[in-house]
Amino acid sequence: MAKNTVKLPGQVPSHIAIIMDGNGRWAQARGLPRLAGHHAGTENLRRVITACVDFGIQYLTIYAFSTENWGRPFEEVQGLMGILEDVIDRELKELDSQGVQLRHLGRLDGIKPSLRQKVNNAVEKTKNNSRLVLCIGFNYGGRDEIVCAIQNLIKDGIKPEDVTEELVSQYLFTAGVPDPDLIIRTSGELRGSNFLIWQGAYSEWYFPATYWPDFDKQELQRALEEYSKRDRRYGKVSP
Ligand code: FPP
Protein backbone atom coordinates (compact mmCIF):
# COMPACT_ATOMS: atom_id res chain seq x y z
CA MET A 1 0.00 0.00 0.00
CA ALA A 2 1.21 3.51 -0.77
CA LYS A 3 1.93 5.97 1.99
CA ASN A 4 -0.50 8.76 2.74
CA THR A 5 0.07 10.57 -0.53
CA VAL A 6 -3.23 12.30 -1.14
CA LYS A 7 -3.91 15.76 0.22
CA LEU A 8 -7.56 16.50 0.89
CA PRO A 9 -9.04 19.88 1.67
CA GLY A 10 -10.65 20.27 5.08
CA GLN A 11 -11.48 17.66 7.69
CA VAL A 12 -10.79 14.01 6.92
CA PRO A 13 -13.03 11.47 8.66
CA SER A 14 -11.25 9.20 11.09
CA HIS A 15 -13.81 6.43 10.62
CA ILE A 16 -15.69 5.57 7.42
CA ALA A 17 -18.33 2.85 7.32
CA ILE A 18 -19.65 1.41 4.07
CA ILE A 19 -22.77 -0.48 3.03
CA MET A 20 -21.38 -2.11 -0.10
CA ASP A 21 -24.65 -2.23 -2.03
CA GLY A 22 -25.37 -2.97 -5.67
CA ASN A 23 -23.29 -6.10 -6.30
CA GLY A 24 -26.34 -8.03 -7.50
CA ARG A 25 -27.49 -5.30 -9.88
CA TRP A 26 -23.93 -4.81 -11.17
CA ALA A 27 -23.86 -8.52 -12.07
CA GLN A 28 -27.38 -8.59 -13.51
CA ALA A 29 -26.57 -5.63 -15.77
CA ARG A 30 -23.79 -7.79 -17.25
CA GLY A 31 -25.86 -10.96 -17.53
CA LEU A 32 -23.80 -12.58 -14.76
CA PRO A 33 -24.90 -14.51 -11.67
CA ARG A 34 -25.25 -12.45 -8.48
CA LEU A 35 -22.23 -14.13 -6.94
CA ALA A 36 -20.04 -12.68 -9.71
CA GLY A 37 -21.10 -9.27 -8.38
CA HIS A 38 -19.98 -10.22 -4.88
CA HIS A 39 -16.62 -11.37 -6.26
CA ALA A 40 -16.22 -8.07 -8.15
CA GLY A 41 -17.24 -6.27 -4.95
CA THR A 42 -14.56 -8.14 -3.02
CA GLU A 43 -11.91 -7.09 -5.56
CA ASN A 44 -13.10 -3.53 -5.18
CA LEU A 45 -12.79 -3.79 -1.43
CA ARG A 46 -9.05 -4.37 -1.81
CA ARG A 47 -8.77 -1.16 -3.84
CA VAL A 48 -10.84 0.82 -1.36
CA ILE A 49 -8.77 -0.43 1.59
CA THR A 50 -5.63 0.84 -0.17
CA ALA A 51 -7.33 4.14 -0.97
CA CYS A 52 -8.37 4.55 2.68
CA VAL A 53 -4.76 4.12 3.76
CA ASP A 54 -3.71 6.69 1.12
CA PHE A 55 -6.27 9.16 2.44
CA GLY A 56 -5.19 8.68 6.05
CA ILE A 57 -8.42 7.03 7.22
CA GLN A 58 -7.84 5.19 10.50
CA TYR A 59 -10.96 3.03 10.75
CA LEU A 60 -12.94 1.39 7.96
CA THR A 61 -16.06 -0.63 8.74
CA ILE A 62 -17.78 -2.71 6.07
CA TYR A 63 -21.14 -4.46 6.05
CA ALA A 64 -20.35 -7.82 4.46
CA PHE A 65 -23.21 -10.02 5.69
CA SER A 66 -26.20 -8.96 7.76
CA THR A 67 -28.30 -11.01 10.17
CA GLU A 68 -31.07 -10.61 7.55
CA ASN A 69 -28.91 -11.91 4.68
CA TRP A 70 -29.51 -15.49 5.89
CA GLY A 71 -32.85 -15.15 4.07
CA ARG A 72 -31.13 -14.97 0.65
CA PRO A 73 -31.01 -18.02 -1.65
CA PHE A 74 -28.88 -20.86 -0.24
CA GLU A 75 -26.23 -20.64 -3.00
CA GLU A 76 -25.74 -16.91 -2.39
CA VAL A 77 -25.38 -17.40 1.39
CA GLN A 78 -22.89 -20.22 0.82
CA GLY A 79 -21.08 -18.09 -1.74
CA LEU A 80 -20.71 -15.18 0.69
CA MET A 81 -19.44 -17.52 3.43
CA GLY A 82 -16.92 -18.90 0.91
CA ILE A 83 -15.80 -15.40 -0.04
CA LEU A 84 -15.02 -14.51 3.59
CA GLU A 85 -13.10 -17.76 3.98
CA ASP A 86 -11.13 -17.14 0.74
CA VAL A 87 -10.39 -13.55 1.71
CA ILE A 88 -8.92 -14.71 5.01
CA ASP A 89 -6.94 -17.51 3.33
CA ARG A 90 -5.59 -15.33 0.53
CA GLU A 91 -5.24 -11.88 2.07
CA LEU A 92 -4.47 -12.31 5.77
CA LYS A 93 -0.70 -12.35 5.38
CA GLU A 94 -0.70 -9.27 3.15
CA LEU A 95 -3.15 -7.34 5.32
CA ASP A 96 -1.10 -8.19 8.40
CA SER A 97 2.15 -7.08 6.77
CA GLN A 98 0.50 -3.79 5.76
CA GLY A 99 -0.42 -3.10 9.38
CA VAL A 100 -4.16 -3.69 9.05
CA GLN A 101 -5.93 -4.75 12.23
CA LEU A 102 -8.96 -6.94 11.53
CA ARG A 103 -11.97 -6.85 13.81
CA HIS A 104 -15.12 -8.85 13.49
CA LEU A 105 -18.52 -7.30 14.23
CA GLY A 106 -21.37 -9.74 14.73
CA ARG A 107 -22.11 -13.10 16.24
CA LEU A 108 -19.90 -16.02 15.35
CA ASP A 109 -22.33 -18.66 16.57
CA GLY A 110 -24.32 -19.81 13.56
CA ILE A 111 -21.20 -19.71 11.40
CA LYS A 112 -19.51 -23.01 10.66
CA PRO A 113 -16.70 -23.90 13.10
CA SER A 114 -13.86 -23.85 10.53
CA LEU A 115 -14.75 -20.33 9.40
CA ARG A 116 -15.28 -19.21 12.99
CA GLN A 117 -11.78 -20.40 13.81
CA LYS A 118 -10.30 -18.56 10.82
CA VAL A 119 -12.02 -15.34 11.83
CA ASN A 120 -10.79 -15.65 15.43
CA ASN A 121 -7.29 -16.42 14.22
CA ALA A 122 -7.26 -13.41 11.86
CA VAL A 123 -8.45 -11.11 14.67
CA GLU A 124 -5.86 -12.50 17.09
CA LYS A 125 -2.99 -12.37 14.58
CA THR A 126 -3.58 -8.70 13.64
CA LYS A 127 -4.65 -7.31 17.02
CA ASN A 128 -1.51 -5.20 17.53
CA ASN A 129 -1.60 -3.57 14.08
CA SER A 130 -2.56 0.07 13.93
CA ARG A 131 -2.22 1.49 10.43
CA LEU A 132 -5.85 0.85 9.58
CA VAL A 133 -8.50 -0.88 11.69
CA LEU A 134 -10.79 -2.84 9.36
CA CYS A 135 -14.02 -3.89 11.06
CA ILE A 136 -15.94 -6.53 9.14
CA GLY A 137 -19.65 -6.77 9.86
CA PHE A 138 -20.38 -10.43 9.21
CA ASN A 139 -23.54 -11.97 10.65
CA TYR A 140 -24.01 -8.45 11.97
CA GLY A 141 -27.22 -6.58 12.75
CA GLY A 142 -27.50 -3.36 14.71
CA ARG A 143 -30.54 -4.52 16.69
CA ASP A 144 -28.94 -7.88 17.38
CA GLU A 145 -25.84 -6.07 18.61
CA ILE A 146 -27.91 -4.08 21.10
CA VAL A 147 -29.75 -7.23 22.27
CA CYS A 148 -26.39 -8.93 22.75
CA ALA A 149 -25.12 -5.92 24.75
CA ILE A 150 -28.20 -5.95 27.01
CA GLN A 151 -27.81 -9.70 27.59
CA ASN A 152 -24.18 -9.21 28.62
CA LEU A 153 -24.94 -6.21 30.84
CA ILE A 154 -27.49 -8.35 32.69
CA LYS A 155 -25.12 -11.34 32.85
CA ASP A 156 -22.47 -9.05 34.37
CA GLY A 157 -24.93 -7.95 37.04
CA ILE A 158 -24.77 -4.25 36.09
CA LYS A 159 -27.26 -2.18 38.14
CA PRO A 160 -29.80 -0.15 36.11
CA GLU A 161 -28.52 3.15 37.55
CA ASP A 162 -25.02 2.28 36.35
CA VAL A 163 -26.08 1.87 32.71
CA THR A 164 -24.78 4.87 30.75
CA GLU A 165 -24.28 5.54 27.05
CA GLU A 166 -20.53 5.06 27.51
CA LEU A 167 -21.05 1.70 29.21
CA VAL A 168 -23.46 0.48 26.53
CA SER A 169 -20.87 1.46 23.89
CA GLN A 170 -18.33 -0.73 25.66
CA TYR A 171 -20.68 -3.72 25.36
CA LEU A 172 -21.16 -3.33 21.61
CA PHE A 173 -19.15 -5.32 19.05
CA THR A 174 -17.40 -2.02 18.24
CA ALA A 175 -16.10 -1.48 21.81
CA GLY A 176 -13.11 0.86 21.68
CA VAL A 177 -13.77 1.93 18.06
CA PRO A 178 -14.85 5.58 17.65
CA ASP A 179 -18.26 6.17 16.08
CA PRO A 180 -18.25 6.42 12.28
CA ASP A 181 -17.90 9.99 11.01
CA LEU A 182 -19.17 9.12 7.56
CA ILE A 183 -21.40 6.27 6.41
CA ILE A 184 -21.52 5.58 2.68
CA ARG A 185 -24.17 3.43 1.02
CA THR A 186 -23.54 2.80 -2.64
CA SER A 187 -26.08 1.99 -5.38
CA GLY A 188 -28.56 4.79 -4.77
CA GLU A 189 -30.58 3.07 -2.04
CA LEU A 190 -31.48 5.48 0.75
CA ARG A 191 -31.74 3.21 3.81
CA GLY A 192 -29.70 2.35 6.87
CA SER A 193 -30.62 -1.37 6.89
CA ASN A 194 -29.81 -2.13 10.52
CA PHE A 195 -26.20 -0.97 10.17
CA LEU A 196 -24.46 0.68 13.15
CA ILE A 197 -27.76 2.02 14.44
CA TRP A 198 -26.30 3.01 17.80
CA GLN A 199 -22.90 4.19 16.57
CA GLY A 200 -24.33 6.09 13.59
CA ALA A 201 -26.49 8.40 15.70
CA TYR A 202 -24.52 11.45 14.53
CA SER A 203 -22.76 10.13 11.46
CA GLU A 204 -22.89 11.99 8.17
CA TRP A 205 -24.45 9.92 5.37
CA TYR A 206 -23.49 9.85 1.71
CA PHE A 207 -25.45 7.98 -0.98
CA PRO A 208 -23.70 7.72 -4.36
CA ALA A 209 -25.65 6.08 -7.19
CA THR A 210 -22.65 3.94 -8.20
CA TYR A 211 -22.84 0.19 -7.65
CA TRP A 212 -20.25 -1.04 -5.15
CA PRO A 213 -17.93 -2.86 -7.62
CA ASP A 214 -17.47 0.46 -9.46
CA PHE A 215 -16.99 2.65 -6.39
CA ASP A 216 -13.35 3.58 -7.00
CA LYS A 217 -10.78 5.84 -5.38
CA GLN A 218 -12.07 8.88 -7.26
CA GLU A 219 -15.58 8.21 -5.95
CA LEU A 220 -14.18 7.85 -2.44
CA GLN A 221 -12.38 11.15 -2.84
CA ARG A 222 -15.68 12.77 -3.90
CA ALA A 223 -17.30 11.38 -0.76
CA LEU A 224 -14.49 12.80 1.38
CA GLU A 225 -14.75 16.19 -0.32
CA GLU A 226 -18.49 16.22 0.33
CA TYR A 227 -17.86 15.24 3.96
CA SER A 228 -15.36 18.07 4.40
CA LYS A 229 -18.13 20.57 3.56
CA ARG A 230 -20.57 19.22 6.13
CA ASP A 231 -21.24 21.22 9.28
CA ARG A 232 -21.46 18.68 12.11
CA ARG A 233 -23.50 20.19 14.89
CA TYR A 234 -24.45 17.16 17.02
CA GLY A 235 -27.81 18.72 17.85
CA LYS A 236 -26.21 22.02 18.86
CA VAL A 237 -25.75 25.21 16.84
CA SER A 238 -22.71 26.40 14.89
CA PRO A 239 -20.39 28.60 16.95
C1 FPP B 1 -25.12 -5.93 -1.10
O1 FPP B 1 -25.35 -5.96 -2.48
C2 FPP B 1 -23.91 -6.68 -0.78
C3 FPP B 1 -23.85 -7.74 0.10
C4 FPP B 1 -25.02 -8.24 0.83
C5 FPP B 1 -22.59 -8.47 0.32
C6 FPP B 1 -21.36 -7.64 0.24
C7 FPP B 1 -20.18 -8.51 0.36
C8 FPP B 1 -19.02 -8.37 -0.32
C9 FPP B 1 -18.71 -7.27 -1.25
C10 FPP B 1 -17.94 -9.33 -0.04
C11 FPP B 1 -17.11 -8.64 0.97
C12 FPP B 1 -15.98 -9.23 1.52
C13 FPP B 1 -15.81 -9.94 2.66
C14 FPP B 1 -14.68 -9.65 3.52
C15 FPP B 1 -16.68 -11.04 3.04
P1 FPP B 1 -26.65 -6.70 -3.02
O2 FPP B 1 -26.34 -8.11 -3.22
O3 FPP B 1 -27.79 -6.46 -2.07
O4 FPP B 1 -26.88 -5.96 -4.35
P2 FPP B 1 -28.28 -5.67 -5.04
O5 FPP B 1 -29.03 -4.73 -4.12
O6 FPP B 1 -27.89 -5.00 -6.33
O7 FPP B 1 -28.97 -6.96 -5.24
Side-chain angles (χ1 to χ4, degrees):
M1 282 178 209
K3 260 183 89 67
N4 182 6
T5 49
V6 185
K7 275 261 169 292
L8 286 165
Q11 53 177 353
V12 176
S14 152
H15 183 177
I16 296 181
I18 307 182
I19 302 178
M20 307 178 290
D21 200 7
N23 293 344
R25 279 164 285 163
W26 181 94
Q28 266 163 357
R30 287 160 178 77
L32 298 168
R34 293 179 54 81
L35 210 50
H38 295 313
H39 282 289
T42 306
E43 281 308 304
N44 192 47
L45 180 57
R46 291 168 119 228
R47 295 190 282 268
V48 169
I49 291 171
T50 306
C52 282
V53 172
D54 289 351
F55 288 133
I57 307 300
Q58 290 167 294
Y59 297 86
L60 171 65
T61 297
I62 53 159
Y63 205 7
F65 190 87
S66 76
T67 44
E68 289 72 34
N69 288 154
W70 291 106
R72 293 192 173 206
F74 178 76
E75 307 75 55
E76 185 168 346
V77 171
Q78 291 303 103
L80 285 165
M81 296 287 150
I83 286 178
L84 179 61
E85 199 154 357
D86 284 354
V87 165
I88 296 175
D89 288 344
R90 273 189 291 121
E91 310 286 348
L92 179 59
K93 215 167 151 199
E94 172 70 10
L95 289 167
D96 186 33
S97 72
Q98 299 296 342
V100 176
Q101 180 187 138
L102 290 171
R103 285 192 54 160
H104 172 246
L105 311 181
R107 291 195 198 235
L108 280 178
D109 43 0
I111 291 179
K112 68 174 179 170
S114 59
L115 179 54
R116 207 184 305 160
Q117 203 186 337
K118 283 183 186 179
V119 172
N120 284 332
N121 172 52
V123 169
E124 178 61 27
K125 191 173 163 61
T126 61
K127 68 179 181 197
N128 295 320
N129 295 341
S130 58
R131 195 163 179 206
L132 175 77
V133 178
L134 174 61
C135 304
I136 303 180
F138 199 89
N139 197 18
Y140 173 85
R143 289 184 174 180
D144 183 54
E145 177 177 43
I146 292 169
V147 168
C148 195
I150 294 169
Q151 289 170 341
N152 287 326
L153 282 160
I154 294 169
K155 271 188 211 152
D156 287 352
I158 307 291
K159 295 200 213 83
E161 59 272 26
D162 291 336
V163 177
T164 60
E165 292 187 9
E166 290 70 29
L167 188 68
V168 172
S169 294
Q170 286 168 30
Y171 275 78
L172 299 177
F173 299 129
T174 49
V177 174
D179 289 341
D181 300 297
L182 173 66
I183 305 181
I184 299 171
R185 181 178 190 143
T186 56
S187 91
E189 301 289 351
L190 307 178
R191 286 186 295 279
S193 299
N194 204 12
F195 186 47
L196 302 177
I197 54 178
W198 173 281
Q199 301 87 337
Y202 276 100
S203 301
E204 297 294 322
W205 282 82
Y206 181 73
F207 296 102
T210 314
Y211 294 151
W212 170 250
D214 292 330
F215 186 84
D216 59 12
K217 185 172 185 177
Q218 213 179 355
E219 293 258 3
L220 180 62
Q221 179 156 353
R222 230 171 272 149
L224 297 179
E225 283 165 0
E226 164 70 29
Y227 173 81
S228 74
K229 293 183 209 142
R230 302 272 178 98
D231 178 21
R232 301 188 72 188
R233 293 189 297 277
Y234 300 93
K236 304 183 181 85
V237 291
S238 294

